[in-house]
Amino acid sequence: MDTSGSSQLDSSLQDSATDGEENHSGGSPSSAAPTQVSVAAESPGVTVVQLSDGQTVQVQGVIQAPQTSVIQSPQVQTVQIATVAELDDDESVTDTHKRREILSRRPSYRKILNELSSDSPAVPKIDEEKTEEEVPVSSEASASVPTSIYQTSTGQYIAITQGRAIQLSSPGVEAHLGAQTMTVASSPTPQPGAAILQCAAQPGDCSQQFYIQGGQVLIQAATGDLPAYQLRSPNSSLAQSIVMAASPGAMQSPSSQHAEEITRKREVRLMKNREAARECRRKKKEYVKCLENRVAVLENQNKTLIEELKALKDIYCHKAE
DNA sequence: CGTCCAAAGCGTCAAATAAA
DNA sequence: TTTATTTGACGCTTTGGACG
């Protein structure tokens, strides 16, 4: 009777967790070893969670149990905890500020998910640099056979051919006329000095052909008139940001070069932030999924415990009669 | 088929926080 | 202290479904 209940609890927890995992590509954080906590429902909508190290936190609004839990189990419930939402209202500030205060106190998704995955090597760490640009795609129309094809996050295709030619294809980017020179500081390649990239317009289409000295790999490009790129050495996974040293075609005066420098820095900053925002949203979605999984697990757990309690009450009342 | 609307996504800014 | 990173907020665009 009671054993069936607990086994059902285990299986339901497992089912719920694996159901959620299907949504994650690289493995769910919820598959990580759980943090040992004890849970007590203090007030409706607020759950007080005692961590194993004695720290007490409040989790708000995860479970809205219709009944108050009355089970005083001798054994500590083990659940996984994803985050702590510390919600201290302060009437002395404006609503916007208050909201911002609350939200800004929230730990980063990166930290939360890293905590969840810290004990499970199968779960990839969040801060690991993703190399999704290195997913090969079908070879495009190129005169020489490309040895590597990369897709940037902006949808551009970069093909590196055997002859050290880098072809950048993007429907949205106009071809730059003339040659572009990019300087690379502290190149990891054996080649001394700066790497030179030349960009020549392809008359037939909007693609660009880059010739690179030193065998480095262009791995990322941004859309826009003044893109920023990353170079990666073939024998090193360490990417380095590079910048356009000259705008296409024209030599410039120092003042306009300064303006160009400012514009370029801004472009690089915007591109970085763009990528960061994208990544942040991805983390947030993952985090929300993780919480939803946890809600499902805890709801199942609550339901099972309520049923168990009811059964025990029945037995007790039967004996008393 | 065109219009409306809600949801989702994206880029940017700004503030908070972390790291150097 | 300075610089880099993270993330909420805001406005805009895109997308998909409902409706006439």
Side-chain angles (χ1 to χ4, degrees):
Chain A
M1 195 195 306
D2 52 351
T3 53
S4 67
S6 60
S7 64
Q8 186 190 347
L9 168 64
D10 289 341
S11 63
S12 65
L13 288 171
Q14 197 67 37
D15 287 349
S16 180
T18 41
D19 281 349
E21 273 176 27
E22 290 175 2
N23 293 330
H24 301 299
S25 55
S28 166
S30 57
S31 66
T35 310
Q36 183 101 359
V37 296
S38 59
V39 181
E42 190 181 58
S43 62
V46 176
T47 306
V48 176
V49 178
Q50 178 125 29
L51 298 173
S52 55
D53 59 356
Q55 197 182 350
T56 303
V57 296
Q58 288 187 338
V59 180
Q60 176 125 9
V62 178
I63 297 177
Q64 303 287 341
Q67 310 93 332
T68 54
S69 176
V70 291
I71 295 179
Q72 301 288 335
S73 175
Q75 71 212 34
V76 175
Q77 300 289 338
T78 299
V79 299
Q80 294 174 20
I81 176 164
T83 184
V84 178
E86 188 179 326
L87 296 168
D88 285 334
D89 280 352
D90 186 357
E91 283 89 3
S92 65
V93 294
T94 64
D95 278 357
T96 317
H97 257 84
K98 185 163 54 180
R99 196 160 36 132
R100 180 146 206 136
E101 277 282 310
I102 292 165
L103 292 172
S104 67
R105 294 289 176 269
R106 181 184 296 166
S108 75
Y109 307 121
R110 182 185 296 269
K111 279 194 171 181
I112 293 163
L113 292 173
N114 273 348
E115 264 178 33
L116 286 171
S117 61
S118 61
D119 292 328
S120 171
V123 178
K125 292 290 184 97
I126 294 298
D127 56 359
E128 283 175 3
E129 199 61 42
K130 288 203 316 172
T131 54
E132 62 193 3
E133 296 93 349
E134 296 183 2
V135 175
V137 297
S138 64
S139 61
E140 296 288 318
S142 175
S144 52
V145 180
T147 56
S148 311
I149 299 177
Y150 303 89
Q151 184 173 22
T152 70
S153 56
T154 56
Q156 292 173 305
Y157 292 107
I158 300 170
I160 290 90
T161 66
Q162 288 171 335
R164 293 268 181 266
I166 298 175
Q167 188 170 30
L168 176 64
S169 304
S170 171
V173 177
E174 293 176 22
H176 289 198
L177 296 174
Q180 294 174 333
T181 303
M182 302 178 182
T183 57
V184 181
S186 65
S187 167
T189 60
Q191 227 84 357
I196 306 293
L197 285 181
Q198 284 188 315
C199 171
Q202 301 292 300
D205 52 25
C206 61
S207 65
Q208 299 171 317
Q209 193 109 30
F210 287 90
Y211 297 93
I212 183 169
Q213 245 183 14
Q216 286 170 309
V217 177
L218 186 67
I219 62 160
Q220 193 168 34
T223 56
D225 290 339
L226 190 62
Y229 300 94
Q230 280 189 326
L231 275 183
R232 183 170 292 178
S233 175
N235 52 4
S236 165
S237 61
L238 231 159
Q240 50 184 309
S241 294
I242 61 171
V243 293
M244 296 288 194
S247 73
M251 298 298 289
Q252 293 172 328
S253 66
S255 62
S256 67
Q257 273 185 359
H258 180 67
E260 181 89 10
E261 175 82 14
I262 290 171
T263 311
R264 185 192 335 128
K265 279 184 179 172
R266 176 184 156 80
E267 287 289 332
V268 169
R269 182 168 49 81
L270 287 181
M271 188 195 69
K272 270 187 170 181
N273 189 244
R274 198 156 44 226
E275 293 291 326
R278 209 173 286 153
E279 186 71 1
C280 182
R281 285 176 180 128
R282 196 183 64 79
K283 298 286 181 308
K284 188 176 183 178
K285 280 174 78 176
E286 199 174 332
Y287 168 69
V288 168
K289 272 183 189 171
C290 193
L291 285 185
E292 286 169 352
N293 287 348
R294 189 148 293 103
V295 168
V297 166
L298 291 176
E299 277 176 348
N300 263 332
Q301 196 177 17
N302 198 37
K303 205 165 80 180
T304 310
L305 288 172
I306 287 166
E307 284 170 6
E308 197 177 329
L309 173 67
K310 202 188 287 180
L312 288 171
K313 270 184 178 174
D314 283 350
I315 293 170
Y316 181 76
C317 290
H318 213 72
K319 273 191 176 178
E321 284 173 2

